[in-house]
Amino acid sequence: MRTLDSSDRTPSGYLPKTLPTIIHLTSRDGVKTVIKIGEPKPRVPKRSMSIVVIPGASVEDAIFSLPTIPTNAVYCSTGFGYGIQVLVPRSGIGDAVEEG
């Protein structure tokens, strides 16, 4: 029987993508997490609002920014001029969960 693991993080097969800006947050109880911010693409009219997405429990933020497909949700949104903010929740897959 195999154990459950996070996905393989080696860059094999990844398409080139612009890296998001990462903002580190610490909650009152000391749990650390991040928000990843994607800015609208250059030469695209900027929209007045941003999109905030939050992955559900037990998944990771990569569901919105898959590097293996040409146009993921982050690239689609920024391509239409929206800024996008992807919260990495403490209940998903990440360091906060691994640390308990």
Side-chain angles (χ1 to χ4, degrees), residues 14-77:
Y14 285 12
L15 299 170
K17 303 280 188 220
T18 305
L19 294 175
T21 301
I22 297 178
I23 303 208
H24 296 270
L25 304 171
T26 303
S27 65
R28 289 184 189 160
D29 60 354
V31 176
K32 296 179 181 175
T33 189
V34 299
I35 292 179
K36 297 180 180 180
I37 299 176
E39 297 294 332
K41 291 186 180 177
R43 298 179 297 280
V44 173
K46 291 183 178 23
R47 307 286 179 143
S48 61
M49 72 169 86
S50 291
I51 298 170
V52 176
V53 293
I54 303 171
S58 76
V59 295
E60 60 186 342
D61 60 289
I63 64 171
F64 301 113
S65 58
L66 290 172
T68 55
I69 59 175
T71 306
N72 57 40
V74 169
Y75 263 58
C76 181
S77 300

